[in-house]
Coordinates of all heavy atoms in Angstrom, one line a residue:
L1 N 91.8 -39.1 134.9 CA 93.3 -39.0 134.8 C 93.9 -40.3 135.3 O 93.5 -40.9 136.3 CB 93.8 -37.9 135.6 CG 93.4 -36.4 135.1 CD1 93.9 -35.5 136.2 CD2 94.0 -36.2 133.8
V2 N 94.9 -40.7 134.6 CA 95.7 -41.8 135.0 C 96.9 -41.4 135.8 O 97.7 -40.5 135.4 CB 96.2 -42.6 133.8 CG1 97.1 -43.8 134.1 CG2 95.0 -43.1 132.9
S3 N 97.1 -41.9 137.0 CA 98.2 -41.5 137.8 C 99.5 -42.2 137.3 O 99.5 -43.2 136.9 CB 98.0 -41.8 139.3 OG 97.9 -43.2 139.5
S4 N 100.5 -41.4 137.4 CA 101.9 -41.8 137.0 C 102.5 -42.7 138.1 O 102.2 -42.6 139.3 CB 102.8 -40.6 136.9 OG 104.2 -41.1 136.7
P5 N 103.2 -43.8 137.7 CA 103.8 -44.7 138.7 C 105.0 -44.1 139.4 O 105.6 -44.7 140.2 CB 104.2 -45.9 137.9 CG 104.4 -45.4 136.5 CD 103.4 -44.3 136.3
G6 N 105.3 -42.9 139.0 CA 106.5 -42.2 139.6 C 107.7 -42.6 138.8 O 107.7 -43.1 137.7
P7 N 108.9 -42.2 139.3 CA 110.1 -42.4 138.6 C 110.4 -44.0 138.5 O 110.1 -44.7 139.4 CB 111.1 -41.7 139.4 CG 110.6 -41.6 140.7 CD 109.1 -41.5 140.5
F8 N 111.1 -44.4 137.5 CA 111.5 -45.7 137.4 C 112.9 -45.9 138.0 O 113.8 -45.0 137.8 CB 111.5 -46.3 136.0 CG 110.1 -46.6 135.5 CD1 109.2 -45.6 135.2 CD2 109.8 -47.9 135.4 CE1 107.8 -46.0 134.8 CE2 108.5 -48.3 135.1 CZ 107.5 -47.3 134.8
M9 N 113.1 -47.0 138.7 CA 114.4 -47.2 139.4 C 114.9 -48.6 139.0 O 114.2 -49.5 138.6 CB 114.2 -47.2 140.9 CG 113.5 -46.0 141.5 SD 114.3 -44.5 141.2 CE 115.4 -44.5 142.6
R10 N 116.3 -48.6 139.0 CA 116.9 -49.9 138.7 C 117.3 -50.7 139.9 O 118.0 -50.1 140.7 CB 118.2 -49.5 137.8 CG 118.9 -50.7 137.1 CD 120.0 -50.1 136.3 NE 119.5 -49.3 135.2 CZ 119.2 -49.8 133.9 NH1 119.5 -51.1 133.7 NH2 118.8 -49.1 133.0
V11 N 116.8 -51.9 139.9 CA 117.2 -52.8 141.1 C 118.5 -53.5 140.7 O 118.5 -54.2 139.7 CB 116.1 -53.8 141.4 CG1 116.5 -54.7 142.5 CG2 114.8 -53.1 141.6
M12 N 119.5 -53.4 141.5 CA 120.9 -53.9 141.3 C 121.2 -55.0 142.2 O 120.9 -54.9 143.4 CB 121.9 -52.9 141.3 CG 121.7 -51.6 140.4 SD 121.6 -52.0 138.7 CE 123.3 -52.4 138.4
L13 N 121.7 -56.1 141.7 CA 122.3 -57.2 142.5 C 123.7 -56.9 142.7 O 124.4 -56.6 141.7 CB 122.1 -58.5 141.8 CG 122.8 -59.7 142.5 CD1 122.0 -60.1 143.8 CD2 122.7 -61.0 141.6
V14 N 124.2 -56.9 143.9 CA 125.6 -56.6 144.3 C 126.3 -57.9 144.6 O 125.8 -58.8 145.3 CB 125.7 -55.6 145.4 CG1 127.1 -55.3 145.8 CG2 124.9 -54.4 145.2
D15 N 127.5 -58.1 144.0 CA 128.3 -59.3 144.2 C 128.7 -59.5 145.6 O 128.9 -58.5 146.3 CB 129.6 -59.2 143.3 CG 130.3 -60.5 143.3 OD1 129.7 -61.6 143.4 OD2 131.5 -60.4 143.3
D16 N 128.8 -60.7 146.0 CA 129.3 -61.1 147.3 C 130.1 -62.4 147.2 O 130.0 -63.1 146.2 CB 128.2 -61.1 148.5 CG 127.2 -62.3 148.2 OD1 127.7 -63.4 147.8 OD2 126.1 -62.2 148.5
D17 N 130.8 -62.7 148.3 CA 131.6 -63.9 148.2 C 131.0 -65.0 149.0 O 131.7 -66.1 149.3 CB 133.0 -63.6 148.8 CG 133.8 -62.6 147.9 OD1 133.6 -62.7 146.7 OD2 134.6 -61.9 148.5
F18 N 129.7 -64.9 149.4 CA 129.1 -65.9 150.3 C 128.0 -66.8 149.5 O 127.9 -67.9 149.9 CB 128.3 -65.2 151.4 CG 129.2 -64.2 152.1 CD1 129.1 -62.8 151.9 CD2 130.3 -64.6 152.9 CE1 129.9 -61.9 152.5 CE2 131.1 -63.8 153.5 CZ 131.0 -62.4 153.4
H19 N 127.4 -66.3 148.5 CA 126.3 -67.0 147.9 C 126.7 -67.6 146.6 O 127.5 -67.0 145.7 CB 125.1 -66.2 147.7 CG 124.5 -65.7 149.0 ND1 124.9 -64.5 149.6 CD2 123.7 -66.3 149.9 CE1 124.3 -64.3 150.8 NE2 123.5 -65.4 151.0
T20 N 126.2 -68.8 146.2 CA 126.5 -69.4 145.0 C 125.6 -68.7 143.8 O 124.6 -68.1 144.1 CB 126.1 -70.9 145.0 OG1 124.7 -71.1 145.1 CG2 126.9 -71.7 146.1
L21 N 126.1 -68.9 142.7 CA 125.4 -68.4 141.5 C 124.0 -69.0 141.4 O 123.0 -68.3 141.2 CB 126.2 -68.8 140.2 CG 125.6 -68.2 138.9 CD1 125.7 -66.7 138.9 CD2 126.4 -68.8 137.8
D22 N 123.9 -70.3 141.7 CA 122.5 -71.0 141.7 C 121.6 -70.4 142.7 O 120.4 -70.1 142.5 CB 122.7 -72.5 142.0 CG 123.3 -73.2 140.8 OD1 123.2 -72.7 139.7 OD2 123.8 -74.3 141.0
Y23 N 122.1 -70.1 144.0 CA 121.3 -69.4 145.0 C 120.8 -68.1 144.6 O 119.6 -67.7 144.7 CB 122.0 -69.3 146.3 CG 121.3 -68.6 147.4 CD1 120.2 -69.3 148.1 CD2 121.4 -67.3 147.7 CE1 119.4 -68.7 149.0 CE2 120.6 -66.7 148.6 CZ 119.7 -67.4 149.3 OH 118.9 -66.7 150.2
A24 N 121.7 -67.3 144.0 CA 121.3 -65.9 143.5 C 120.3 -66.1 142.4 O 119.2 -65.3 142.5 CB 122.5 -65.2 142.9
V25 N 120.4 -67.0 141.5 CA 119.4 -67.1 140.4 C 118.0 -67.6 140.9 O 117.0 -67.0 140.6 CB 119.9 -68.1 139.4 CG1 118.8 -68.5 138.3 CG2 121.1 -67.5 138.6
E26 N 118.1 -68.5 141.8 CA 116.8 -69.1 142.4 C 116.2 -68.0 143.2 O 114.9 -67.8 143.2 CB 117.1 -70.2 143.3 CG 117.4 -71.5 142.4 CD 117.9 -72.6 143.4 OE1 117.7 -72.6 144.6 OE2 118.5 -73.6 142.8
T27 N 116.9 -67.2 143.9 CA 116.3 -66.2 144.8 C 115.7 -65.0 144.0 O 114.6 -64.5 144.3 CB 117.4 -65.6 145.8 OG1 117.9 -66.7 146.6 CG2 116.8 -64.5 146.7
I28 N 116.4 -64.6 142.9 CA 115.9 -63.5 142.1 C 114.6 -64.0 141.4 O 113.6 -63.2 141.4 CB 116.9 -63.1 141.0 CG1 118.1 -62.5 141.6 CG2 116.3 -62.2 139.9 CD1 119.3 -62.3 140.7
E29 N 114.6 -65.2 140.9 CA 113.4 -65.7 140.3 C 112.2 -65.8 141.3 O 111.1 -65.3 141.0 CB 113.6 -67.1 139.7 CG 114.4 -67.2 138.5 CD 114.7 -68.6 138.1 OE1 115.0 -69.5 139.0 OE2 114.6 -68.9 136.9
S30 N 112.5 -66.2 142.5 CA 111.4 -66.3 143.5 C 110.9 -64.9 143.9 O 109.7 -64.7 144.0 CB 112.0 -67.0 144.7 OG 111.1 -66.9 145.8
V31 N 111.8 -64.0 144.1 CA 111.4 -62.6 144.5 C 110.6 -62.0 143.4 O 109.5 -61.4 143.7 CB 112.7 -61.7 144.8 CG1 112.4 -60.3 144.8 CG2 113.3 -62.1 146.1
M32 N 111.0 -62.1 142.1 CA 110.2 -61.5 141.1 C 108.9 -62.2 140.9 O 107.8 -61.5 140.7 CB 111.0 -61.6 139.8 CG 112.3 -60.8 139.8 SD 112.1 -59.1 140.2 CE 111.5 -58.5 138.7
R33 N 108.8 -63.4 141.0 CA 107.6 -64.2 140.9 C 106.6 -63.9 142.0 O 105.5 -63.6 141.9 CB 107.8 -65.7 140.8 CG 106.6 -66.5 140.5 CD 107.0 -68.0 140.3 NE 108.0 -68.5 141.3 CZ 109.2 -68.8 141.1 NH1 109.8 -68.6 139.9 NH2 110.0 -69.2 142.1
D34 N 107.2 -64.0 143.3 CA 106.4 -63.8 144.5 C 105.9 -62.3 144.7 O 104.9 -62.1 145.4 CB 107.1 -64.3 145.7 CG 107.3 -65.8 145.7 OD1 106.7 -66.5 144.9 OD2 108.1 -66.2 146.6
S35 N 106.6 -61.4 144.1 CA 106.3 -60.0 144.1 C 105.2 -59.6 143.1 O 104.7 -58.5 143.0 CB 107.5 -59.1 143.9 OG 108.4 -59.3 144.9
G36 N 104.8 -60.6 142.3 CA 103.8 -60.4 141.3 C 104.5 -59.6 140.1 O 103.8 -59.0 139.2
L37 N 105.8 -59.5 140.0 CA 106.5 -58.8 139.0 C 106.9 -59.7 137.8 O 107.5 -59.3 136.9 CB 107.7 -58.2 139.6 CG 107.4 -57.2 140.7 CD1 108.7 -56.7 141.4 CD2 106.6 -56.0 140.2
G38 N 106.6 -61.0 138.0 CA 107.0 -61.9 136.8 C 106.4 -63.2 137.1 O 105.9 -63.5 138.2
N39 N 106.3 -64.0 136.1 CA 105.9 -65.4 136.3 C 106.8 -66.2 135.4 O 107.8 -65.7 134.8 CB 104.4 -65.6 135.9 CG 104.1 -65.1 134.5 OD1 104.8 -65.3 133.6 ND2 103.0 -64.4 134.4
S40 N 106.5 -67.5 135.3 CA 107.4 -68.4 134.6 C 107.5 -67.9 133.1 O 108.5 -68.2 132.4 CB 106.8 -69.8 134.6 OG 105.6 -69.9 134.0
G41 N 106.5 -67.1 132.6 CA 106.6 -66.7 131.2 C 107.4 -65.4 131.1 O 107.9 -65.1 130.0
T42 N 107.6 -64.6 132.1 CA 108.2 -63.4 132.0 C 109.6 -63.3 132.7 O 110.4 -62.5 132.4 CB 107.4 -62.2 132.5 OG1 107.0 -62.5 133.9 CG2 106.1 -62.1 131.7
V43 N 109.8 -64.2 133.7 CA 111.1 -64.2 134.4 C 111.9 -65.3 133.7 O 111.8 -66.5 134.1 CB 110.9 -64.5 135.9 CG1 112.4 -64.5 136.6 CG2 110.1 -63.4 136.6
R44 N 112.7 -65.0 132.7 CA 113.5 -66.0 132.0 C 114.7 -66.4 132.7 O 115.5 -65.5 133.1 CB 113.7 -65.4 130.5 CG 112.6 -65.3 129.7 CD 112.9 -65.0 128.3 NE 114.2 -64.7 127.9 CZ 114.7 -63.5 127.6 NH1 113.9 -62.5 127.6 NH2 116.0 -63.4 127.3
K45 N 114.9 -67.6 132.9 CA 116.1 -68.1 133.6 C 117.4 -67.5 133.0 O 118.3 -67.2 133.7 CB 116.2 -69.5 133.6 CG 117.2 -70.2 134.5 CD 117.2 -71.6 134.7 CE 117.0 -72.2 136.0 NZ 116.6 -71.6 137.1
E46 N 117.5 -67.5 131.6 CA 118.7 -67.0 131.0 C 119.0 -65.5 131.3 O 120.1 -65.1 131.6 CB 118.5 -67.1 129.4 CG 118.4 -68.5 129.0 CD 117.0 -69.0 129.0 OE1 116.1 -68.2 129.3 OE2 116.8 -70.2 128.8
R47 N 117.9 -64.7 131.5 CA 118.1 -63.2 131.9 C 118.5 -63.2 133.3 O 119.4 -62.4 133.6 CB 116.7 -62.5 131.6 CG 116.8 -61.1 132.1 CD 117.7 -60.3 131.3 NE 117.8 -58.9 131.7 CZ 118.7 -58.4 132.4 NH1 119.7 -59.1 132.8 NH2 118.6 -57.1 132.7
V48 N 118.0 -64.0 134.2 CA 118.4 -64.0 135.6 C 119.8 -64.4 135.7 O 120.6 -63.9 136.5 CB 117.4 -64.8 136.4 CG1 117.9 -64.9 137.8 CG2 116.0 -64.3 136.4
Q49 N 120.2 -65.5 135.0 CA 121.6 -66.0 135.0 C 122.6 -64.9 134.5 O 123.6 -64.7 135.1 CB 121.7 -67.3 134.2 CG 121.1 -68.4 134.7 CD 121.0 -69.6 133.8 OE1 121.0 -69.5 132.6 NE2 121.1 -70.8 134.4
W50 N 122.2 -64.2 133.5 CA 123.0 -63.0 133.1 C 123.2 -62.0 134.1 O 124.3 -61.5 134.3 CB 122.4 -62.5 131.7 CG 123.2 -61.3 131.3 CD1 122.8 -60.1 131.2 CD2 124.6 -61.2 130.9 NE1 123.8 -59.2 130.6 CE2 124.9 -60.0 130.5 CE3 125.6 -62.3 130.8 CZ2 126.2 -59.6 130.1 CZ3 126.8 -61.9 130.3 CH2 127.1 -60.6 129.9
T51 N 122.1 -61.7 134.8 CA 122.3 -60.7 135.9 C 123.3 -61.2 137.0 O 124.0 -60.4 137.4 CB 120.8 -60.5 136.5 OG1 120.0 -60.0 135.6 CG2 120.9 -59.6 137.8
A52 N 123.1 -62.5 137.3 CA 124.1 -63.0 138.3 C 125.5 -63.0 137.8 O 126.4 -62.7 138.6 CB 123.7 -64.4 138.7
F53 N 125.7 -63.3 136.5 CA 127.1 -63.2 136.0 C 127.6 -61.9 136.0 O 128.8 -61.6 136.3 CB 127.1 -63.8 134.5 CG 127.1 -65.3 134.4 CD1 126.1 -65.9 133.6 CD2 128.0 -66.1 135.1 CE1 126.0 -67.3 133.5 CE2 127.9 -67.5 134.9 CZ 127.0 -68.1 134.1
Q54 N 126.8 -60.9 135.6 CA 127.2 -59.5 135.6 C 127.6 -59.1 137.0 O 128.7 -58.4 137.2 CB 126.0 -58.5 135.2 CG 125.7 -58.4 133.8 CD 124.5 -57.5 133.5 OE1 123.5 -57.6 134.2 NE2 124.7 -56.6 132.5
A55 N 126.9 -59.5 138.0 CA 127.2 -59.1 139.5 C 128.6 -59.7 139.7 O 129.4 -59.1 140.4 CB 126.1 -59.6 140.4
H56 N 128.7 -61.0 139.4 CA 130.0 -61.7 139.7 C 131.2 -61.1 139.0 O 132.2 -60.8 139.7 CB 129.9 -63.2 139.4 CG 131.1 -64.0 139.7 ND1 131.5 -64.3 140.9 CD2 132.0 -64.5 138.8 CE1 132.6 -64.9 140.9 NE2 133.0 -65.1 139.6
F57 N 131.1 -60.8 137.7 CA 132.3 -60.3 137.0 C 132.4 -58.8 137.1 O 133.6 -58.3 136.9 CB 132.2 -60.8 135.5 CG 132.4 -62.3 135.4 CD1 131.3 -63.1 135.1 CD2 133.7 -62.8 135.7 CE1 131.6 -64.4 135.0 CE2 133.9 -64.2 135.5 CZ 132.8 -65.0 135.2
Y58 N 131.3 -58.0 137.2 CA 131.5 -56.6 137.2 C 131.1 -55.8 138.5 O 131.2 -54.7 138.6 CB 130.6 -56.0 136.1 CG 131.0 -56.6 134.7 CD1 130.0 -57.4 134.1 CD2 132.1 -56.3 134.1 CE1 130.3 -57.9 132.8 CE2 132.5 -56.8 132.9 CZ 131.6 -57.6 132.2 OH 131.8 -58.2 131.0
G59 N 130.7 -56.7 139.5 CA 130.3 -56.1 140.8 C 128.9 -55.9 141.0 O 128.4 -55.9 142.1
M60 N 128.1 -55.6 139.9 CA 126.7 -55.4 140.0 C 126.0 -55.8 138.7 O 126.7 -55.7 137.6 CB 126.4 -53.9 140.2 CG 126.6 -53.5 141.6 SD 125.8 -51.9 141.9 CE 126.9 -50.8 141.0
G61 N 124.8 -56.3 138.9 CA 123.9 -56.6 137.7 C 122.5 -56.1 137.8 O 122.0 -56.1 139.0
T62 N 122.0 -55.7 136.7 CA 120.6 -55.2 136.8 C 119.6 -56.4 136.9 O 119.5 -57.2 136.1 CB 120.3 -54.4 135.5 OG1 121.2 -53.3 135.4 CG2 118.8 -53.9 135.6
V63 N 118.8 -56.3 138.0 CA 117.7 -57.3 138.1 C 116.5 -56.9 137.4 O 115.8 -57.7 136.7 CB 117.4 -57.4 139.7 CG1 116.2 -58.3 139.8 CG2 118.6 -57.9 140.4
A64 N 116.0 -55.6 137.5 CA 114.9 -55.1 136.8 C 114.8 -53.6 136.9 O 115.5 -53.0 137.8 CB 113.6 -55.7 137.5
V65 N 114.1 -53.0 136.0 CA 113.8 -51.6 136.1 C 112.2 -51.5 136.4 O 111.4 -51.9 135.6 CB 114.1 -50.8 134.8 CG1 113.7 -49.4 134.8 CG2 115.6 -51.0 134.4
L66 N 111.9 -50.9 137.5 CA 110.6 -50.9 138.0 C 110.2 -49.5 138.5 O 111.0 -48.7 138.8 CB 110.5 -51.9 139.2 CG 110.9 -53.3 138.9 CD1 111.0 -54.1 140.2 CD2 109.8 -54.0 138.0
P67 N 108.8 -49.3 138.7 CA 108.4 -48.1 139.4 C 109.0 -48.0 140.7 O 109.3 -49.1 141.3 CB 106.9 -48.2 139.4 CG 106.5 -49.1 138.3 CD 107.7 -50.1 138.2
E68 N 109.2 -46.9 141.3 CA 110.0 -46.7 142.5 C 109.6 -47.6 143.7 O 110.4 -48.2 144.3 CB 110.0 -45.3 143.0 CG 110.9 -45.0 144.1 CD 111.0 -43.5 144.4 OE1 110.3 -42.7 144.0 OE2 112.0 -43.2 145.2
A69 N 108.3 -47.6 144.0 CA 107.8 -48.4 145.1 C 108.1 -49.9 144.9 O 108.6 -50.6 145.8 CB 106.3 -48.2 145.4
A70 N 107.9 -50.5 143.7 CA 108.1 -51.9 143.4 C 109.6 -52.1 143.4 O 110.0 -53.2 143.9 CB 107.5 -52.2 142.0
A71 N 110.4 -51.2 143.0 CA 111.9 -51.4 143.0 C 112.4 -51.5 144.5 O 113.2 -52.4 144.8 CB 112.6 -50.2 142.3
W72 N 111.9 -50.6 145.4 CA 112.4 -50.7 146.7 C 111.9 -52.0 147.4 O 112.6 -52.7 148.1 CB 111.9 -49.6 147.5 CG 112.7 -48.3 147.3 CD1 112.3 -47.2 146.6 CD2 114.1 -48.1 147.6 NE1 113.3 -46.3 146.4 CE2 114.4 -46.8 147.1 CE3 115.0 -48.8 148.3 CZ2 115.7 -46.3 147.3 CZ3 116.3 -48.3 148.5 CH2 116.6 -47.0 148.0
N73 N 110.7 -52.5 147.0 CA 110.1 -53.8 147.6 C 111.0 -54.9 147.1 O 111.3 -55.8 147.9 CB 108.7 -53.9 147.1 CG 108.1 -55.2 147.6 OD1 108.3 -55.6 148.7 ND2 107.3 -55.8 146.8
A74 N 111.3 -55.0 145.8 CA 112.1 -56.0 145.3 C 113.5 -56.1 146.0 O 114.0 -57.1 146.3 CB 112.3 -55.9 143.8
A75 N 114.1 -54.8 146.1 CA 115.4 -54.8 146.7 C 115.4 -55.2 148.2 O 116.3 -56.0 148.6 CB 116.0 -53.3 146.6
D76 N 114.4 -54.8 148.9 CA 114.2 -55.3 150.2 C 114.1 -56.8 150.3 O 114.7 -57.4 151.3 CB 113.0 -54.6 150.9 CG 113.3 -53.1 151.2 OD1 114.5 -52.7 151.2 OD2 112.3 -52.4 151.4
R77 N 113.4 -57.4 149.4 CA 113.2 -58.9 149.5 C 114.5 -59.6 149.1 O 114.8 -60.6 149.7 CB 112.1 -59.2 148.6 CG 110.7 -58.7 149.1 CD 109.6 -59.2 148.4 NE 109.6 -60.7 148.6 CZ 108.7 -61.6 148.0 NH1 107.8 -61.1 147.3 NH2 108.8 -62.8 148.2
L78 N 115.2 -59.0 148.2 CA 116.6 -59.7 147.9 C 117.5 -59.5 149.1 O 118.1 -60.6 149.5 CB 117.3 -58.9 146.7 CG 116.6 -59.2 145.3 CD1 117.2 -58.3 144.3 CD2 116.7 -60.7 145.0
R79 N 117.5 -58.4 149.8 CA 118.3 -58.2 151.0 C 117.8 -59.2 152.1 O 118.7 -59.7 152.8 CB 118.3 -56.8 151.5 CG 119.2 -55.9 150.7 CD 119.5 -54.6 151.3 NE 118.2 -53.7 151.3 CZ 117.8 -53.0 150.3 NH1 118.6 -52.8 149.2 NH2 116.7 -52.2 150.4
S80 N 116.6 -59.3 152.3 CA 116.1 -60.2 153.3 C 116.4 -61.7 153.0 O 116.5 -62.4 154.0 CB 114.6 -60.1 153.6 OG 113.8 -60.5 152.5
A81 N 116.7 -62.0 151.8 CA 117.1 -63.3 151.5 C 118.7 -63.5 151.5 O 119.2 -64.5 151.2 CB 116.6 -63.7 150.0
G82 N 119.3 -62.4 151.9 CA 120.7 -62.4 152.2 C 121.6 -61.9 151.0 O 122.8 -61.9 151.1
L83 N 120.9 -61.5 149.9 CA 121.7 -61.0 148.7 C 121.8 -59.5 148.9 O 121.0 -58.8 149.3 CB 120.9 -61.3 147.4 CG 120.8 -62.8 147.1 CD1 120.0 -63.0 145.8 CD2 122.1 -63.5 147.0
G84 N 123.0 -59.0 148.3 CA 123.2 -57.6 148.3 C 122.4 -57.0 147.1 O 122.4 -57.5 146.1
S85 N 121.8 -55.9 147.4 CA 121.0 -55.1 146.4 C 121.0 -53.7 146.7 O 121.2 -53.3 147.8 CB 119.6 -55.7 146.3 OG 118.9 -55.4 147.4
K86 N 120.8 -52.9 145.7 CA 120.6 -51.5 145.8 C 119.7 -51.0 144.8 O 119.4 -51.7 143.7 CB 122.0 -50.8 145.8 CG 122.7 -50.9 144.5 CD 124.2 -50.3 144.7 CE 124.2 -48.9 144.4 NZ 125.6 -48.4 144.4
V87 N 119.2 -49.8 144.9 CA 118.2 -49.2 144.0 C 118.9 -47.9 143.5 O 119.4 -47.1 144.3 CB 116.9 -48.9 144.7 CG1 116.0 -48.2 143.7 CG2 116.2 -50.2 145.2
V88 N 118.9 -47.7 142.2 CA 119.5 -46.5 141.6 C 118.4 -46.0 140.6 O 117.7 -46.7 140.0 CB 120.8 -46.8 141.0 CG1 121.9 -47.2 142.0 CG2 120.7 -47.7 139.8
R89 N 118.5 -44.7 140.4 CA 117.6 -44.0 139.4 C 118.0 -44.5 138.0 O 119.1 -44.6 137.7 CB 117.7 -42.5 139.5 CG 116.7 -41.8 138.7 CD 116.5 -40.3 139.0 NE 116.2 -40.0 140.3 CZ 114.9 -40.0 140.8 NH1 113.9 -40.4 140.1 NH2 114.7 -39.7 142.1
D90 N 116.9 -44.8 137.2 CA 117.2 -45.3 135.9 C 117.5 -44.1 134.9 O 116.9 -43.1 135.1 CB 116.0 -46.1 135.4 CG 116.3 -46.8 134.0 OD1 117.4 -47.3 133.9 OD2 115.5 -46.7 133.2

């Protein structure tokens, strides 16, 4: 039997007035790459920039939809880098 990864969760970037757009983009790319959730081929800069724009203009932007454990890990890493993040059920 193949075990289920559990529910999928949405990792959200929350807007703040402290970090630049460039910092947010670089941090998201780094977190996704270092977590083994993406590499230069799968973490597209344009997609990450769109996430940062969403957060800036709408208050939140979707970073990724991941299995629950990976989502919490990614959100924790974003928070430890100073960015606001939250996890919501997809």
Side-chain angles (χ1 to χ4, degrees):
L1 292 173
V2 176
S3 64
S4 169
F8 279 77
M9 308 296 278
R10 189 174 295 267
V11 180
M12 306 297 293
L13 175 68
V14 180
D15 186 35
D16 68 36
D17 294 328
F18 308 107
H19 297 94
T20 65
L21 186 66
D22 289 337
Y23 178 78
V25 168
E26 290 171 13
T27 302
I28 293 167
E29 287 178 316
S30 174
V31 164
M32 297 303 286
R33 185 176 46 253
D34 294 347
S35 296
L37 301 172
N39 57 41
S40 60
T42 58
V43 179
R44 293 192 348 255
K45 188 174 238 17
E46 297 82 11
R47 175 65 178 102
V48 175
Q49 288 172 331
W50 176 244
T51 296
F53 282 127
Q54 283 180 315
H56 178 72
F57 289 108
Y58 302 113
M60 283 193 291
T62 300
V63 174
V65 178
L66 303 166
E68 187 172 16
W72 285 108
N73 180 42
D76 288 344
R77 294 193 58 185
L78 289 171
R79 281 192 293 271
S80 71
L83 296 178
S85 67
K86 62 191 277 184
V87 176
V88 296
R89 188 168 300 277
D90 188 45

